[in-house]
Amino acid sequence: MRSESDLTARARIRDAAIDLFGREGVNRVSVRAIAARAGVSPALVLHHFGSKDGLRKACDAYLLEILRGDGRPADLGDTARLGSMLEAAAPARRYLARAFLDDSPEAGTLFDEMVAASERWLGHGAEEGWIQPSEDPHARAAVYVTWLLAPVMLHAHLSRAFGVDDLAETGATLRFSRAAIEIFTRGVFADDRVLDAWNTVRKDLG
Amino acid sequence: MRSESDLTARARIRDAAIDLFGREGVNRVSVRAIAARAGVSPALVLHHFGSKDGLRKACDAYLLEILRGDGRPADLGDTARLGSMLEAAAPARRYLARAFLDDSPEAGTLFDEMVAASERWLGHGAEEGWIQPSEDPHARAAVYVTWLLAPVMLHAHLSRAFGVDDLAETGATLRFSRAAIEIFTRGVFADDRVLDAWNTVRKDLG
DNA sequence: TAGCATGCTAAACAAATGTTCAGCGCTTAG
DNA sequence: CTAAGCGCTGAACATTTGTTTAGCATGCTA
């Protein structure tokens, strides 16, 4: 996650901000707290980033560029992209979750890109027969991406459910991914009654 | 969502706080802003709730009690419970999402309760044959609940993906739920290759 | 009517916050 | 050697923040 120039004070400030913003939320963290963690003066933070909001934007851009541009082959599909996200450092994950909740423009772009990529990938798989066909491919892609991001958003609660400090611990990751793949492969419902019930509702509504 | 006594200033303050906290995040909202929206003086907010944090706790307790205690028959399953959540007013949804992200104790309790209820429900269905069996029922229940809550967390992005202002609009809700039920019924993967790949990884790791 | 609780407010306070500014020390080009 | 540029800081400023205090008005009770 670190490049060569990351020993500079500017980079230390950025990393400290990502960590603290992710931990506490942007507005619970003061410029002074960031400066203290980065080992610099509060004034230097503003010197480099103009304002606290400028720092926030710089964090958004930096982090999401990393997530977006990791250059994995598209063939691995979006499940692999989620993997690369979960592999990202914990502070980055927390920051990302807040960016999604706060509806930051960068996060929105990332989400939209993920939906588009998933729709392509799922459509490709459907043509080749290893993905189920869908009545509404765009909606399915949106649901799919939402579910991929769910563990990022609810990380703390999932960790508790698995009895670990961090979901990234090997055992918990294996259990979670196994359960998810199980659903993605076999579904949850054993028959069509819920689907039929939905169809009835749809008919009633129009 | 409102009971009879909800015309009191105290209730107006609480509702204003839930709305603003959900919209902006707790720390971006000042006591003065809440007071202004409720049409009272800032001092009254503290008079009733002791402190801003007291107000926040009161909001947590009030809202999550509503979500938890709605008295729906358990037979409808957790999909119905999600429905009742999505039917809740938009400010409550936003507030809930932040409560989950901030890992508030009340939200944690709610999450744990939902996992436990889902595990019972899914296990019951598996016995009766209308739910697929699972190799790890607890993990599946956790995944299931996470996926139920995901649209609450990513509401803004999903709305954009469906081209609507609010996902609660009838058309968008129908498309989303249809896609979700589709996956829950037929899965996404048409064959077992991903499941097999996971099994290989598991074997490699131990 | 007198006393008292209740719901509420205006005004002020101390602390914290984002931001600015003048200037320090160090490196480097002229 | 000098001067300029760069990274960086300490101290201060204006504003906003949560909170407190003293007190107003209203209505109930004795």
Side-chain angles (χ1 to χ4, degrees), chain B residues 29-32 43 46 51-52:
Chain B
V29 176
S30 67
V31 172
R32 285 167 176 81
L46 286 310
S51 69
K52 188 184 182 182

Side-chain angles (χ1 to χ4, degrees), chain A:
Chain A
M1 178 174 165
R2 286 186 161 62
S3 66
E4 42 181 294
S5 66
D6 259 341
L7 298 173
T8 66
R10 185 187 162 94
R12 286 207 317 279
I13 292 170
R14 195 223 305 119
D15 288 352
I18 289 177
D19 184 25
L20 291 177
F21 284 168
R23 234 182 259 277
E24 309 279 343
V26 175
N27 288 268
R28 258 176 291 203
V29 176
S30 67
V31 172
R32 285 167 177 81
I34 296 167
R37 160 159 308 212
V40 300
S41 73
L44 188 62
V45 176
L46 286 310
H47 174 71
H48 276 305
F49 297 94
S51 67
K52 187 184 181 183
D53 196 57
L55 172 58
R56 191 232 155 94
K57 283 176 184 156
C59 290
D60 270 31
Y62 172 75
L63 215 168
L64 294 170
E65 174 206 359
I66 286 184
L67 289 175
R68 191 183 298 127
D70 63 13
R72 282 170 180 268
D75 279 345
L76 290 180
D78 284 334
T79 306
R81 165 160 279 174
L82 173 70
S84 78
M85 281 187 179
L86 289 181
E87 283 163 19
R93 250 188 285 128
R94 281 189 287 252
Y95 185 95
L96 184 68
R98 284 194 194 276
F100 276 121
L101 196 68
D102 289 347
D103 204 9
S104 87
E106 285 84 356
T109 301
L110 180 65
F111 186 90
D112 295 345
E113 286 173 4
M114 290 185 68
V115 171
S118 293
E119 192 170 347
R120 282 194 303 273
W121 180 68
L122 292 168
H124 184 64
E127 281 174 17
E128 295 191 350
W130 44 274
I131 287 289
Q132 299 280 359
S134 171
E135 200 183 70
D136 187 344
H138 183 66
R140 178 171 72 172
V143 171
Y144 186 72
V145 169
T146 301
W147 288 356
L148 287 186
L149 291 176
V152 174
M153 308 297 291
L154 293 164
H155 181 269
H157 302 286
L158 275 174
S159 301
R160 199 179 51 249
F162 284 99
V164 297
D165 280 346
D166 189 332
L167 195 62
E169 288 180 26
T170 311
T173 299
L174 281 178
R175 284 183 72 190
F176 182 89
S177 58
R178 159 79 201 198
I181 292 170
E182 198 181 86
I183 296 178
F184 280 147
T185 302
R186 310 218 184 284
V188 170
F189 305 137
D191 54 44
D192 285 2
R193 77 180 68 179
V194 177
L195 204 53
D196 293 342
W198 184 91
N199 286 328
T200 303
V201 171
R202 178 205 236 170
K203 216 172 285 176
D204 290 348
L205 287 177

